[in-house]
Amino acid sequence: MRFLPAAIAIGASVCMAATEDQSEFFESKIRPLLAKECYACHTQTAMGGLRLDSRESFLQGGKSGAAVVAGKPDDSLLIQAVRRTHARLKMPPTAPLAAGDVELLVDWVRRGAAYPEAKTAAAVATSEYTVTPNQRSFWSFQPVRKPAVPALAAAKGAAAARTPIDHFLLARLAVAGIAPSPDAGRRTWLRRATLSLTGLPPTPEEVDAFLRDTSPKAYETVVERLLASPHYGERWGRHWLDLARYSDGQLAAGTDTPFPNAFRYRDWVVEAFNKDMPYDRFVTAQIAADLLPAGEREPLLGGLGFQALGSRGDDQVDVTTKVFLGLTVGCAQCHDHKYDPIPTRDYYSLLGVFRSSQISQHPLALEADVKRYEGQKKRIDAMKETIDDFLQLQQKLLVDTLARHTARYMIATWQTLNSRTVDNAGIDAETLQRWVGYLKNPEREHPYLNSWFALMKQNPTEEQVRAEAARYQTFALKLIDDAKEVEDKNYVAFGGRKGIKNEATRQYTNIVSLSALEFYQWRELAAGPFNVDGYRAPAGVYYYAAKELDRWLGGNVLEHLKQLRAELAALEKDMPPAYPFFHSLKDADKPADARIAIRGDAKNLGAVAPRAFLEVLSPGKPEPFREGSGRLQLARAIASSSNPLTARVIVNRLWQQHFGQGIVRSTSNFGQMGERPSNPELLDYLAARLVESGWSLKAIQREIVLSAAYSASTQTPARAAEADPDNRLLSHFPARPRLDMESLRDSVLAVTGKLNRAVGGPSQPIADGNHRRSLYLTVSRTRLDPTFVLFDFPDANATAEQRPVTIGPLQGLFFLNSPFIARQADALNERVQCEAGEAVPARIERAYKLLYGRAPDAGELKLGIEYLAASSAGGNAGWRQYLQALLGSAEFTSVN
């Protein structure tokens, strides 16, 4: 793989072949974003001389120069424009991009700004793509066939085999001439299995009980206990939530817009794992539970949070196909997939299914309670709208009134700044101070005050100042009138509504607007505070918020406002508690097929793509879906035992979580550009076993954890470093450098005795007094807690197939300086003192058993005694520092 120097501009980067990851990232994320936000102005119209719809046009750039400097987001005009940090370019001109979209573009430029070519528009529009027999012959599209378990000669390791899994692994090792590593020991296996299946460390009592059990069923007994634990579902539910891009809120400007019932999907997933819900049923529930027969659907409705809690349409196609099928179907949004047999038609066939579905709520309350709540909420919303309309009218009247004194305020500002006597007749003091602050800064995004600031540099006379102030007032009054006219025209365009909240609809509405520069000036005079995705602008000098308006009102107007507020307070007092509900889906009233958006441009539509399954996974041409939206037919096609991908993909994910890497390491890409399985026979054995077991995930995990491979040491055998440096053949257990964030935090709380083991319920922010499992911490799409970020928690805006594991000094400093770790060290000190008494050696031994499941050796015990005796802090502070060191050790923070 080649990497581009950071200073090379996009002209060089696009000439080089993009890696598979870059290509997939561009096709699934960047090209659709450009099509949605940029193509309207930067294709045929080429505003600013810039087109963004092809490699050539990107190379040419616009009047301001190259749009992108590959590898250097901060130096790229495109990024400066969308961040709105450029002095002149602010894109899009009407409103900033969502923060997540800006970060996608930043990431794209940082990666090298690869721009693979799409097919021409004509080719996409007329394509009659047919999947060929040769394409169907690719390994992952072939039916799953259960292979025979390899027979092993004793000399080649048969004695080491415990389950059929070992036979498949040992057979491959024998061919490579590699002997497997020895067993790591019972204590190590127990820690691995307990952390892997529950996300918690074994207790000293569990360790002692296992070491005493010499029966042939000792391992099986432990595995059955762990699989039956309610904490099993919590651990494996969290793995699934990474894939489902679970969050407790919706991406917004500063903080998430809350999803108060999102936790019900999370709890449904936990319960499904604990009950070992058959995986085919688990899949169906998360695509089409609402369309199942009555009596069957009720326990499954919570699963629809998979679809309802994320973004709509494009995201649903991408996530659903990646998670369940291991295919990057999202790459076919703008053109036929460059590597896999997935035509653009197939993408829009699936998109039609999801577009024919609507976000819904499934109440978990009596119908009467729902009606009472909804009725009262409707009345409250109506009253709030009445008050808002009234206040907006008063705000506009106040703006009109104050604007007619603009010249006075500007003159008084000049007098104030030049220490002259201020003519404050008819001038409001607060508004004058706003003008003083406004005119102190000559840096504006528009030219309309340039002549004023130029005059101020010339030591003007009062007559000159009055003349310029009068000129500007004339302009300002006209601008405010123009803004009203724009608002009136859009009111008509919106069909008598104040606006269209659905941006997909708004995009095609014939709206009008001020020019960008006029808008910037109007905003500085008359608009409320502006805060979108990190871009902040203060309120206009004439804008007074609702709470500030009262002093401007009087007589019957103020009394009317007070009456409205009193009525609202009475309604809110009588508001019943919100009823619980599942975030759900339902079919649209009129399901419809989607048309192909040529090059991903929703304004340039091609042929209709009938709703149907992927052609490559169908026996021939796929039959159109005609049952409502088609979601149930889609779910059944994905969850079918005849589908060659579904079982393979999920057993591979199970393997990945236990061993760190999948048998197919690209766990969400089983296509041409994904990795090939390191042991295809083992993969198909596990997939076949899953179906045979009734799609039981616990059955597969039982076999994995009881295998000899799972209990092997991390010691690299002779020849393995040379013959299999990446350990793809699994000659030894992979070293796992650090626990994930949840297991780390939960382990700390568990050993200190502070962990709250209650299962389920609403999410709560990470805080001092919150000792619940990390699964129940609030997950944000907009702004993750720094502790989450430090320990590589995934971005909830996209499906995460595997978490990165970074090791750095900041994590070490966390264990040394974090108030949370210090408090837990104090709690651990209290626990060991309570359980072991005052004797230092006994307390140290108890701490080691709690943290590591073993007693300290002689050297460790001696070192601990000497440190505590010599500690300058002494007393509890000395113990805190000592226990913090133990908590931050590699033995505690890693699996092995």
Side-chain angles (χ1 to χ4, degrees), residues 197-351:
L197 292 176
T198 69
L200 298 170
T203 66
E205 294 72 25
E206 289 168 346
V207 173
D208 291 343
F210 177 58
L211 295 180
R212 287 195 305 267
D213 187 353
T214 58
S215 71
K217 298 290 186 180
Y219 285 81
E220 289 89 336
T221 300
V222 169
V223 172
E224 294 307 320
R225 172 175 59 81
L226 295 174
L227 291 175
S229 167
H231 301 311
Y232 163 80
E234 292 177 317
R235 176 61 172 166
W236 285 85
R238 181 61 257 179
H239 292 323
W240 186 260
L241 296 177
D242 282 6
L243 297 169
R245 77 275 192 239
Y246 171 82
S247 171
D248 293 292
Q250 189 173 15
L251 187 69
T255 58
D256 283 12
T257 301
F259 280 144
N261 284 269
F263 75 93
R264 299 186 191 280
Y265 169 67
R266 178 246 290 151
D267 288 353
W268 180 89
V269 170
V270 170
E271 183 180 19
F273 274 97
N274 277 333
K275 290 185 174 180
D276 199 18
M277 178 183 291
Y279 184 68
D280 59 343
R281 187 175 174 86
F282 184 69
V283 170
T284 302
Q286 294 179 86
I287 300 174
D290 59 310
L291 302 176
L292 291 168
E296 183 181 351
R297 65 170 169 255
E298 282 71 22
L300 304 181
L301 287 168
L304 287 169
F306 181 92
Q307 306 291 345
L309 293 175
S311 301
R312 298 298 319 284
D314 300 338
D315 179 66
Q316 288 172 299
V317 173
D318 183 57
V319 172
T320 299
T321 53
K322 275 185 178 177
V323 171
F324 298 119
L325 298 173
L327 290 178
T328 57
V329 176
C331 292
Q333 181 175 0
C334 301
H335 54 79
D336 294 340
H337 200 295
K338 294 173 70 66
Y339 307 109
D340 297 331
I342 305 171
T344 303
R345 178 192 64 242
D346 278 8
Y347 174 86
Y348 286 93
S349 292
L350 296 181
L351 184 61

Side-chain angles (χ1 to χ4, degrees), residues 276-280 689-697:
D276 199 18
M277 178 183 291
Y279 184 68
D280 59 343
R689 283 280 297 116
L690 177 67
V691 177
E692 286 178 354
S693 69
W695 296 85
S696 167
L697 299 183

